[in-house]
Amino acid sequence: MSDAPGHGSGWRRALLLAAGWVFTALGVIGLILPLMPGTVFLIAAAWCFSRSSPRFEAWLLGHERLGPHVLRWRESGVIDRKAKLIACSSMLLSFGLVALTSAPPIALWATGLCLLASGAYVASRPEPAREE
């Protein structure tokens, strides 16, 4: 596989491309399932594609159902309240599931800290202005 200019080594590009497709699939699932935040995965997919395949990034951004979620994020960085609640609730549920396993304490701490940081970031994002 040849490297596109400015897109890193071949293995890195392939890894980002694969991650982009995994995130796209998770994003589609998340838009269908009520407790899984799809937009976050689509944003991650767009980021991966922006560093591995401008063609697939353009496809995602131009997609009539998937693109608007990413474009809205890129334009304003806002997350509506319902999406914030779903994302943070999902993170809390995820941590609860990990806590029920026999994971070692370091894994619980690492998971908890990552989810706490992610939840704080999501909660701190501005919400869209309400139209009256």
Side-chain angles (χ1 to χ4, degrees), residues 91-127:
M91 288 181 225
L92 187 60
L93 178 64
S94 296
F95 181 75
L97 292 173
V98 172
L100 292 174
T101 69
S102 59
I106 188 70
L108 289 175
W109 277 100
T111 301
L113 289 174
C114 288
L115 291 174
L116 187 61
S118 300
Y121 179 78
V122 168
S124 72
R125 298 296 83 207
E127 295 180 9

PDB file of all heavy atoms in Angstrom, residues 91-127:
ATOM      1  N   MET A  91     -21.900   5.548  29.537  1.00  0.00           N
ATOM      2  CA  MET A  91     -20.585   5.395  30.169  1.00  0.00           C
ATOM      3  C   MET A  91     -20.725   4.845  31.580  1.00  0.00           C
ATOM      4  O   MET A  91     -19.960   3.969  31.999  1.00  0.00           O
ATOM      5  CB  MET A  91     -19.850   6.735  30.186  1.00  0.00           C
ATOM      6  CG  MET A  91     -19.362   7.179  28.833  1.00  0.00           C
ATOM      7  SD  MET A  91     -18.479   8.737  28.957  1.00  0.00           S
ATOM      8  CE  MET A  91     -19.176   9.618  27.585  1.00  0.00           C
ATOM      9  N   LEU A  92     -21.702   5.343  32.308  1.00  0.00           N
ATOM     10  CA  LEU A  92     -21.941   4.860  33.665  1.00  0.00           C
ATOM     11  C   LEU A  92     -22.335   3.385  33.649  1.00  0.00           C
ATOM     12  O   LEU A  92     -21.828   2.581  34.440  1.00  0.00           O
ATOM     13  CB  LEU A  92     -23.023   5.706  34.338  1.00  0.00           C
ATOM     14  CG  LEU A  92     -23.282   5.451  35.812  1.00  0.00           C
ATOM     15  CD1 LEU A  92     -22.025   5.697  36.633  1.00  0.00           C
ATOM     16  CD2 LEU A  92     -24.403   6.362  36.294  1.00  0.00           C
ATOM     17  N   LEU A  93     -23.212   3.022  32.733  1.00  0.00           N
ATOM     18  CA  LEU A  93     -23.623   1.622  32.591  1.00  0.00           C
ATOM     19  C   LEU A  93     -22.417   0.748  32.225  1.00  0.00           C
ATOM     20  O   LEU A  93     -22.239  -0.338  32.776  1.00  0.00           O
ATOM     21  CB  LEU A  93     -24.723   1.497  31.538  1.00  0.00           C
ATOM     22  CG  LEU A  93     -25.222   0.092  31.252  1.00  0.00           C
ATOM     23  CD1 LEU A  93     -25.901  -0.509  32.484  1.00  0.00           C
ATOM     24  CD2 LEU A  93     -26.190   0.117  30.081  1.00  0.00           C
ATOM     25  N   SER A  94     -21.589   1.242  31.313  1.00  0.00           N
ATOM     26  CA  SER A  94     -20.394   0.490  30.915  1.00  0.00           C
ATOM     27  C   SER A  94     -19.482   0.244  32.110  1.00  0.00           C
ATOM     28  O   SER A  94     -18.962  -0.860  32.296  1.00  0.00           O
ATOM     29  CB  SER A  94     -19.622   1.243  29.833  1.00  0.00           C
ATOM     30  OG  SER A  94     -20.384   1.347  28.673  1.00  0.00           O
ATOM     31  N   PHE A  95     -19.282   1.283  32.922  1.00  0.00           N
ATOM     32  CA  PHE A  95     -18.423   1.111  34.089  1.00  0.00           C
ATOM     33  C   PHE A  95     -19.042   0.095  35.054  1.00  0.00           C
ATOM     34  O   PHE A  95     -18.330  -0.734  35.616  1.00  0.00           O
ATOM     35  CB  PHE A  95     -18.173   2.437  34.817  1.00  0.00           C
ATOM     36  CG  PHE A  95     -17.269   2.255  36.000  1.00  0.00           C
ATOM     37  CD1 PHE A  95     -15.910   2.071  35.815  1.00  0.00           C
ATOM     38  CD2 PHE A  95     -17.768   2.221  37.283  1.00  0.00           C
ATOM     39  CE1 PHE A  95     -15.061   1.874  36.900  1.00  0.00           C
ATOM     40  CE2 PHE A  95     -16.935   2.026  38.379  1.00  0.00           C
ATOM     41  CZ  PHE A  95     -15.573   1.847  38.178  1.00  0.00           C
ATOM     42  N   GLY A  96     -20.348   0.164  35.222  1.00  0.00           N
ATOM     43  CA  GLY A  96     -21.028  -0.796  36.086  1.00  0.00           C
ATOM     44  C   GLY A  96     -20.823  -2.227  35.614  1.00  0.00           C
ATOM     45  O   GLY A  96     -20.579  -3.121  36.430  1.00  0.00           O
ATOM     46  N   LEU A  97     -20.879  -2.431  34.304  1.00  0.00           N
ATOM     47  CA  LEU A  97     -20.668  -3.774  33.756  1.00  0.00           C
ATOM     48  C   LEU A  97     -19.230  -4.243  33.991  1.00  0.00           C
ATOM     49  O   LEU A  97     -18.998  -5.396  34.349  1.00  0.00           O
ATOM     50  CB  LEU A  97     -21.005  -3.803  32.265  1.00  0.00           C
ATOM     51  CG  LEU A  97     -22.484  -3.630  31.931  1.00  0.00           C
ATOM     52  CD1 LEU A  97     -22.687  -3.509  30.424  1.00  0.00           C
ATOM     53  CD2 LEU A  97     -23.307  -4.787  32.489  1.00  0.00           C
ATOM     54  N   VAL A  98     -18.275  -3.335  33.802  1.00  0.00           N
ATOM     55  CA  VAL A  98     -16.873  -3.700  34.052  1.00  0.00           C
ATOM     56  C   VAL A  98     -16.676  -4.020  35.531  1.00  0.00           C
ATOM     57  O   VAL A  98     -15.972  -4.967  35.897  1.00  0.00           O
ATOM     58  CB  VAL A  98     -15.914  -2.573  33.598  1.00  0.00           C
ATOM     59  CG1 VAL A  98     -14.487  -2.854  34.039  1.00  0.00           C
ATOM     60  CG2 VAL A  98     -15.969  -2.414  32.086  1.00  0.00           C
ATOM     61  N   ALA A  99     -17.324  -3.249  36.405  1.00  0.00           N
ATOM     62  CA  ALA A  99     -17.190  -3.466  37.851  1.00  0.00           C
ATOM     63  C   ALA A  99     -17.751  -4.819  38.275  1.00  0.00           C
ATOM     64  O   ALA A  99     -17.312  -5.388  39.283  1.00  0.00           O
ATOM     65  CB  ALA A  99     -17.880  -2.338  38.616  1.00  0.00           C
ATOM     66  N   LEU A 100     -18.706  -5.344  37.529  1.00  0.00           N
ATOM     67  CA  LEU A 100     -19.290  -6.644  37.852  1.00  0.00           C
ATOM     68  C   LEU A 100     -18.415  -7.814  37.409  1.00  0.00           C
ATOM     69  O   LEU A 100     -18.674  -8.955  37.787  1.00  0.00           O
ATOM     70  CB  LEU A 100     -20.675  -6.776  37.219  1.00  0.00           C
ATOM     71  CG  LEU A 100     -21.763  -5.864  37.795  1.00  0.00           C
ATOM     72  CD1 LEU A 100     -23.046  -5.992  36.976  1.00  0.00           C
ATOM     73  CD2 LEU A 100     -22.015  -6.181  39.259  1.00  0.00           C
ATOM     74  N   THR A 101     -17.396  -7.535  36.617  1.00  0.00           N
ATOM     75  CA  THR A 101     -16.505  -8.602  36.157  1.00  0.00           C
ATOM     76  C   THR A 101     -15.397  -8.826  37.185  1.00  0.00           C
ATOM     77  O   THR A 101     -15.323  -8.125  38.185  1.00  0.00           O
ATOM     78  CB  THR A 101     -15.866  -8.245  34.799  1.00  0.00           C
ATOM     79  OG1 THR A 101     -14.951  -7.166  34.991  1.00  0.00           O
ATOM     80  CG2 THR A 101     -16.916  -7.885  33.762  1.00  0.00           C
ATOM     81  N   SER A 102     -14.548  -9.740  36.875  1.00  0.00           N
ATOM     82  CA  SER A 102     -13.416 -10.004  37.772  1.00  0.00           C
ATOM     83  C   SER A 102     -12.179  -9.233  37.309  1.00  0.00           C
ATOM     84  O   SER A 102     -11.050  -9.686  37.517  1.00  0.00           O
ATOM     85  CB  SER A 102     -13.134 -11.500  37.833  1.00  0.00           C
ATOM     86  OG  SER A 102     -12.839 -11.977  36.532  1.00  0.00           O
ATOM     87  N   ALA A 103     -12.399  -8.065  36.731  1.00  0.00           N
ATOM     88  CA  ALA A 103     -11.281  -7.241  36.256  1.00  0.00           C
ATOM     89  C   ALA A 103     -10.410  -6.824  37.443  1.00  0.00           C
ATOM     90  O   ALA A 103     -10.926  -6.537  38.527  1.00  0.00           O
ATOM     91  CB  ALA A 103     -11.811  -6.011  35.535  1.00  0.00           C
ATOM     92  N   PRO A 104      -9.112  -6.769  37.236  1.00  0.00           N
ATOM     93  CA  PRO A 104      -8.220  -6.340  38.322  1.00  0.00           C
ATOM     94  C   PRO A 104      -8.468  -4.863  38.668  1.00  0.00           C
ATOM     95  O   PRO A 104      -8.946  -4.100  37.832  1.00  0.00           O
ATOM     96  CB  PRO A 104      -6.820  -6.545  37.756  1.00  0.00           C
ATOM     97  CG  PRO A 104      -6.987  -6.623  36.284  1.00  0.00           C
ATOM     98  CD  PRO A 104      -8.367  -7.104  36.025  1.00  0.00           C
ATOM     99  N   PRO A 105      -8.139  -4.479  39.885  1.00  0.00           N
ATOM    100  CA  PRO A 105      -8.380  -3.094  40.312  1.00  0.00           C
ATOM    101  C   PRO A 105      -7.786  -2.038  39.383  1.00  0.00           C
ATOM    102  O   PRO A 105      -8.409  -1.009  39.145  1.00  0.00           O
ATOM    103  CB  PRO A 105      -7.736  -3.032  41.697  1.00  0.00           C
ATOM    104  CG  PRO A 105      -7.781  -4.435  42.195  1.00  0.00           C
ATOM    105  CD  PRO A 105      -7.615  -5.299  40.977  1.00  0.00           C
ATOM    106  N   ILE A 106      -6.621  -2.299  38.828  1.00  0.00           N
ATOM    107  CA  ILE A 106      -6.006  -1.315  37.929  1.00  0.00           C
ATOM    108  C   ILE A 106      -6.877  -1.092  36.696  1.00  0.00           C
ATOM    109  O   ILE A 106      -6.998   0.027  36.192  1.00  0.00           O
ATOM    110  CB  ILE A 106      -4.557  -1.709  37.538  1.00  0.00           C
ATOM    111  CG1 ILE A 106      -3.859  -0.585  36.768  1.00  0.00           C
ATOM    112  CG2 ILE A 106      -4.538  -2.974  36.721  1.00  0.00           C
ATOM    113  CD1 ILE A 106      -3.531   0.607  37.599  1.00  0.00           C
ATOM    114  N   ALA A 107      -7.516  -2.152  36.222  1.00  0.00           N
ATOM    115  CA  ALA A 107      -8.408  -2.025  35.067  1.00  0.00           C
ATOM    116  C   ALA A 107      -9.647  -1.206  35.440  1.00  0.00           C
ATOM    117  O   ALA A 107     -10.120  -0.394  34.636  1.00  0.00           O
ATOM    118  CB  ALA A 107      -8.820  -3.402  34.557  1.00  0.00           C
ATOM    119  N   LEU A 108     -10.159  -1.429  36.651  1.00  0.00           N
ATOM    120  CA  LEU A 108     -11.315  -0.636  37.100  1.00  0.00           C
ATOM    121  C   LEU A 108     -10.955   0.838  37.214  1.00  0.00           C
ATOM    122  O   LEU A 108     -11.716   1.705  36.792  1.00  0.00           O
ATOM    123  CB  LEU A 108     -11.832  -1.159  38.438  1.00  0.00           C
ATOM    124  CG  LEU A 108     -12.536  -2.507  38.398  1.00  0.00           C
ATOM    125  CD1 LEU A 108     -12.887  -2.965  39.813  1.00  0.00           C
ATOM    126  CD2 LEU A 108     -13.780  -2.432  37.540  1.00  0.00           C
ATOM    127  N   TRP A 109      -9.788   1.125  37.806  1.00  0.00           N
ATOM    128  CA  TRP A 109      -9.347   2.510  37.948  1.00  0.00           C
ATOM    129  C   TRP A 109      -9.136   3.156  36.580  1.00  0.00           C
ATOM    130  O   TRP A 109      -9.562   4.288  36.342  1.00  0.00           O
ATOM    131  CB  TRP A 109      -8.065   2.582  38.773  1.00  0.00           C
ATOM    132  CG  TRP A 109      -8.340   2.561  40.234  1.00  0.00           C
ATOM    133  CD1 TRP A 109      -8.240   1.486  41.076  1.00  0.00           C
ATOM    134  CD2 TRP A 109      -8.796   3.652  41.046  1.00  0.00           C
ATOM    135  NE1 TRP A 109      -8.599   1.845  42.347  1.00  0.00           N
ATOM    136  CE2 TRP A 109      -8.934   3.176  42.362  1.00  0.00           C
ATOM    137  CE3 TRP A 109      -9.092   4.983  40.780  1.00  0.00           C
ATOM    138  CZ2 TRP A 109      -9.358   3.983  43.407  1.00  0.00           C
ATOM    139  CZ3 TRP A 109      -9.508   5.792  41.823  1.00  0.00           C
ATOM    140  CH2 TRP A 109      -9.647   5.289  43.113  1.00  0.00           C
ATOM    141  N   ALA A 110      -8.460   2.447  35.691  1.00  0.00           N
ATOM    142  CA  ALA A 110      -8.180   2.998  34.357  1.00  0.00           C
ATOM    143  C   ALA A 110      -9.476   3.247  33.600  1.00  0.00           C
ATOM    144  O   ALA A 110      -9.670   4.305  33.004  1.00  0.00           O
ATOM    145  CB  ALA A 110      -7.271   2.054  33.581  1.00  0.00           C
ATOM    146  N   THR A 111     -10.378   2.280  33.650  1.00  0.00           N
ATOM    147  CA  THR A 111     -11.669   2.436  32.978  1.00  0.00           C
ATOM    148  C   THR A 111     -12.438   3.602  33.576  1.00  0.00           C
ATOM    149  O   THR A 111     -12.977   4.439  32.850  1.00  0.00           O
ATOM    150  CB  THR A 111     -12.499   1.132  33.101  1.00  0.00           C
ATOM    151  OG1 THR A 111     -11.758   0.064  32.512  1.00  0.00           O
ATOM    152  CG2 THR A 111     -13.838   1.271  32.422  1.00  0.00           C
ATOM    153  N   GLY A 112     -12.497   3.641  34.894  1.00  0.00           N
ATOM    154  CA  GLY A 112     -13.222   4.712  35.572  1.00  0.00           C
ATOM    155  C   GLY A 112     -12.675   6.090  35.243  1.00  0.00           C
ATOM    156  O   GLY A 112     -13.440   7.019  34.956  1.00  0.00           O
ATOM    157  N   LEU A 113     -11.348   6.229  35.249  1.00  0.00           N
ATOM    158  CA  LEU A 113     -10.737   7.523  34.948  1.00  0.00           C
ATOM    159  C   LEU A 113     -10.988   7.943  33.500  1.00  0.00           C
ATOM    160  O   LEU A 113     -11.298   9.109  33.224  1.00  0.00           O
ATOM    161  CB  LEU A 113      -9.246   7.499  35.248  1.00  0.00           C
ATOM    162  CG  LEU A 113      -8.879   7.469  36.730  1.00  0.00           C
ATOM    163  CD1 LEU A 113      -7.372   7.299  36.906  1.00  0.00           C
ATOM    164  CD2 LEU A 113      -9.363   8.734  37.428  1.00  0.00           C
ATOM    165  N   CYS A 114     -10.869   7.001  32.575  1.00  0.00           N
ATOM    166  CA  CYS A 114     -11.123   7.310  31.160  1.00  0.00           C
ATOM    167  C   CYS A 114     -12.581   7.712  30.937  1.00  0.00           C
ATOM    168  O   CYS A 114     -12.871   8.687  30.236  1.00  0.00           O
ATOM    169  CB  CYS A 114     -10.763   6.123  30.271  1.00  0.00           C
ATOM    170  SG  CYS A 114      -8.988   5.841  30.134  1.00  0.00           S
ATOM    171  N   LEU A 115     -13.485   6.951  31.528  1.00  0.00           N
ATOM    172  CA  LEU A 115     -14.904   7.271  31.364  1.00  0.00           C
ATOM    173  C   LEU A 115     -15.272   8.578  32.059  1.00  0.00           C
ATOM    174  O   LEU A 115     -16.079   9.358  31.545  1.00  0.00           O
ATOM    175  CB  LEU A 115     -15.772   6.118  31.867  1.00  0.00           C
ATOM    176  CG  LEU A 115     -15.718   4.852  31.008  1.00  0.00           C
ATOM    177  CD1 LEU A 115     -16.493   3.723  31.675  1.00  0.00           C
ATOM    178  CD2 LEU A 115     -16.254   5.115  29.616  1.00  0.00           C
ATOM    179  N   LEU A 116     -14.682   8.827  33.210  1.00  0.00           N
ATOM    180  CA  LEU A 116     -14.933  10.085  33.912  1.00  0.00           C
ATOM    181  C   LEU A 116     -14.442  11.274  33.085  1.00  0.00           C
ATOM    182  O   LEU A 116     -15.154  12.284  32.938  1.00  0.00           O
ATOM    183  CB  LEU A 116     -14.263  10.063  35.283  1.00  0.00           C
ATOM    184  CG  LEU A 116     -14.566  11.226  36.207  1.00  0.00           C
ATOM    185  CD1 LEU A 116     -16.066  11.299  36.525  1.00  0.00           C
ATOM    186  CD2 LEU A 116     -13.778  11.088  37.504  1.00  0.00           C
ATOM    187  N   ALA A 117     -13.253  11.159  32.533  1.00  0.00           N
ATOM    188  CA  ALA A 117     -12.715  12.233  31.688  1.00  0.00           C
ATOM    189  C   ALA A 117     -13.579  12.424  30.443  1.00  0.00           C
ATOM    190  O   ALA A 117     -13.895  13.564  30.057  1.00  0.00           O
ATOM    191  CB  ALA A 117     -11.273  11.929  31.297  1.00  0.00           C
ATOM    192  N   SER A 118     -13.995  11.324  29.831  1.00  0.00           N
ATOM    193  CA  SER A 118     -14.843  11.411  28.640  1.00  0.00           C
ATOM    194  C   SER A 118     -16.193  12.035  28.971  1.00  0.00           C
ATOM    195  O   SER A 118     -16.694  12.890  28.232  1.00  0.00           O
ATOM    196  CB  SER A 118     -15.058  10.021  28.040  1.00  0.00           C
ATOM    197  OG  SER A 118     -13.832   9.457  27.666  1.00  0.00           O
ATOM    198  N   GLY A 119     -16.776  11.604  30.077  1.00  0.00           N
ATOM    199  CA  GLY A 119     -18.064  12.165  30.493  1.00  0.00           C
ATOM    200  C   GLY A 119     -17.966  13.642  30.814  1.00  0.00           C
ATOM    201  O   GLY A 119     -18.864  14.434  30.457  1.00  0.00           O
ATOM    202  N   ALA A 120     -16.874  14.049  31.457  1.00  0.00           N
ATOM    203  CA  ALA A 120     -16.682  15.469  31.772  1.00  0.00           C
ATOM    204  C   ALA A 120     -16.556  16.282  30.491  1.00  0.00           C
ATOM    205  O   ALA A 120     -17.112  17.381  30.379  1.00  0.00           O
ATOM    206  CB  ALA A 120     -15.441  15.654  32.649  1.00  0.00           C
ATOM    207  N   TYR A 121     -15.857  15.742  29.508  1.00  0.00           N
ATOM    208  CA  TYR A 121     -15.718  16.442  28.230  1.00  0.00           C
ATOM    209  C   TYR A 121     -17.080  16.590  27.548  1.00  0.00           C
ATOM    210  O   TYR A 121     -17.451  17.675  27.110  1.00  0.00           O
ATOM    211  CB  TYR A 121     -14.740  15.706  27.310  1.00  0.00           C
ATOM    212  CG  TYR A 121     -14.579  16.388  25.976  1.00  0.00           C
ATOM    213  CD1 TYR A 121     -13.788  17.523  25.859  1.00  0.00           C
ATOM    214  CD2 TYR A 121     -15.240  15.920  24.851  1.00  0.00           C
ATOM    215  CE1 TYR A 121     -13.652  18.169  24.645  1.00  0.00           C
ATOM    216  CE2 TYR A 121     -15.111  16.556  23.636  1.00  0.00           C
ATOM    217  CZ  TYR A 121     -14.322  17.682  23.526  1.00  0.00           C
ATOM    218  OH  TYR A 121     -14.202  18.325  22.326  1.00  0.00           O
ATOM    219  N   VAL A 122     -17.818  15.496  27.462  1.00  0.00           N
ATOM    220  CA  VAL A 122     -19.146  15.539  26.828  1.00  0.00           C
ATOM    221  C   VAL A 122     -20.053  16.524  27.554  1.00  0.00           C
ATOM    222  O   VAL A 122     -20.718  17.355  26.934  1.00  0.00           O
ATOM    223  CB  VAL A 122     -19.782  14.128  26.789  1.00  0.00           C
ATOM    224  CG1 VAL A 122     -21.252  14.182  26.422  1.00  0.00           C
ATOM    225  CG2 VAL A 122     -19.021  13.230  25.822  1.00  0.00           C
ATOM    226  N   ALA A 123     -20.073  16.460  28.879  1.00  0.00           N
ATOM    227  CA  ALA A 123     -20.947  17.340  29.658  1.00  0.00           C
ATOM    228  C   ALA A 123     -20.552  18.812  29.519  1.00  0.00           C
ATOM    229  O   ALA A 123     -21.410  19.689  29.609  1.00  0.00           O
ATOM    230  CB  ALA A 123     -20.921  16.926  31.128  1.00  0.00           C
ATOM    231  N   SER A 124     -19.269  19.081  29.266  1.00  0.00           N
ATOM    232  CA  SER A 124     -18.813  20.467  29.183  1.00  0.00           C
ATOM    233  C   SER A 124     -19.056  21.115  27.823  1.00  0.00           C
ATOM    234  O   SER A 124     -18.901  22.329  27.683  1.00  0.00           O
ATOM    235  CB  SER A 124     -17.315  20.545  29.503  1.00  0.00           C
ATOM    236  OG  SER A 124     -16.557  19.993  28.444  1.00  0.00           O
ATOM    237  N   ARG A 125     -19.447  20.335  26.836  1.00  0.00           N
ATOM    238  CA  ARG A 125     -19.672  20.898  25.497  1.00  0.00           C
ATOM    239  C   ARG A 125     -20.922  21.776  25.535  1.00  0.00           C
ATOM    240  O   ARG A 125     -21.907  21.456  26.201  1.00  0.00           O
ATOM    241  CB  ARG A 125     -19.884  19.815  24.445  1.00  0.00           C
ATOM    242  CG  ARG A 125     -18.712  18.877  24.226  1.00  0.00           C
ATOM    243  CD  ARG A 125     -17.454  19.531  23.691  1.00  0.00           C
ATOM    244  NE  ARG A 125     -16.712  20.125  24.779  1.00  0.00           N
ATOM    245  CZ  ARG A 125     -15.887  21.162  24.711  1.00  0.00           C
ATOM    246  NH1 ARG A 125     -15.642  21.727  23.577  1.00  0.00           N
ATOM    247  NH2 ARG A 125     -15.272  21.641  25.741  1.00  0.00           N
ATOM    248  N   PRO A 126     -20.909  22.863  24.770  1.00  0.00           N
ATOM    249  CA  PRO A 126     -22.099  23.702  24.720  1.00  0.00           C
ATOM    250  C   PRO A 126     -23.276  22.974  24.083  1.00  0.00           C
ATOM    251  O   PRO A 126     -23.080  22.025  23.312  1.00  0.00           O
ATOM    252  CB  PRO A 126     -21.655  24.902  23.876  1.00  0.00           C
ATOM    253  CG  PRO A 126     -20.440  24.466  23.147  1.00  0.00           C
ATOM    254  CD  PRO A 126     -19.824  23.355  23.943  1.00  0.00           C
ATOM    255  N   GLU A 127     -24.468  23.432  24.401  1.00  0.00           N
ATOM    256  CA  GLU A 127     -25.685  22.874  23.807  1.00  0.00           C
ATOM    257  C   GLU A 127     -26.149  23.814  22.695  1.00  0.00           C
ATOM    258  O   GLU A 127     -25.870  25.009  22.746  1.00  0.00           O
ATOM    259  CB  GLU A 127     -26.760  22.708  24.867  1.00  0.00           C
ATOM    260  CG  GLU A 127     -26.376  21.683  25.915  1.00  0.00           C
ATOM    261  CD  GLU A 127     -27.425  21.493  27.002  1.00  0.00           C
ATOM    262  OE1 GLU A 127     -28.542  22.029  26.867  1.00  0.00           O
ATOM    263  OE2 GLU A 127     -27.110  20.825  27.985  1.00  0.00           O
TER     264      GLU A 127
END
